[in-house]
Amino acid sequence: MSFGRAIINGNLVRDCELKYSQSGKAVLMNAVAFERYIASSQQRETSFIDIIAFGKTAENIQRYFSKGSPIIIDGDLEQAGWTDKAGQKHSKIRVIVNSFDFCGSSQRQQS
């Protein structure tokens, strides 16, 4: 058996906005920006990863975080695919949030 898991320490890209599924479950879609250091060029590169959270996890992220807030995300990797209006297929990897934590604060929140 194999699996994909990610722990990301970064900052939220947008303010959090909850949407609700037809069954009434909270859904939050956002992205986290994080930097990595490239030793060969001695530069920093910013990367972005989409995240999606459900239920109480989504509600708590929306309650405690906003655009630019530092956050630690722990979740499972998922490959999302779609076809655009021109019929071109696309895909990207996103993180399904299992839990989150505060960065640089004595507050802690596990979902």
Side-chain angles (χ1 to χ4, degrees):
M1 182 172 151
S2 62
F3 66 94
R5 185 155 187 129
I7 298 173
I8 301 167
N9 180 354
N11 298 79
L12 287 178
V13 173
R14 296 179 293 280
D15 280 328
C16 298
E17 180 182 332
L18 287 180
K19 295 187 179 185
Y20 292 88
S21 67
Q22 290 180 345
S23 65
K25 189 175 192 177
V27 179
L28 181 136
M29 297 175 80
N30 207 320
V32 174
F34 58 95
E35 288 186 343
R36 71 181 188 103
Y37 180 72
I38 304 169
S40 61
S41 63
Q42 297 182 350
Q43 294 183 358
R44 294 195 177 278
E45 177 181 89
T46 302
S47 297
F48 302 87
I49 186 90
D50 289 339
I51 64 167
I52 185 166
F54 299 98
K56 289 287 185 194
T57 302
E59 292 169 352
N60 285 327
I61 292 172
Q62 191 271 335
R63 181 177 301 126
Y64 295 110
F65 296 89
S66 59
K67 180 179 180 178
S69 294
I71 190 170
I72 298 172
I73 296 291
D74 181 1
D76 298 317
L77 297 175
E78 173 189 68
Q79 185 165 357
W82 70 96
T83 303
D84 66 19
K85 292 178 183 176
Q88 191 80 349
K89 292 187 177 196
H90 302 272
S91 68
K92 64 180 169 182
I93 301 291
R94 65 184 179 184
V95 176
I96 307 229
V97 180
N98 292 326
S99 64
F100 65 91
D101 207 345
F102 294 88
C103 295
S105 172
S106 60
Q107 276 187 302
R108 294 181 65 84
Q109 172 69 37
Q110 289 292 325
S111 52

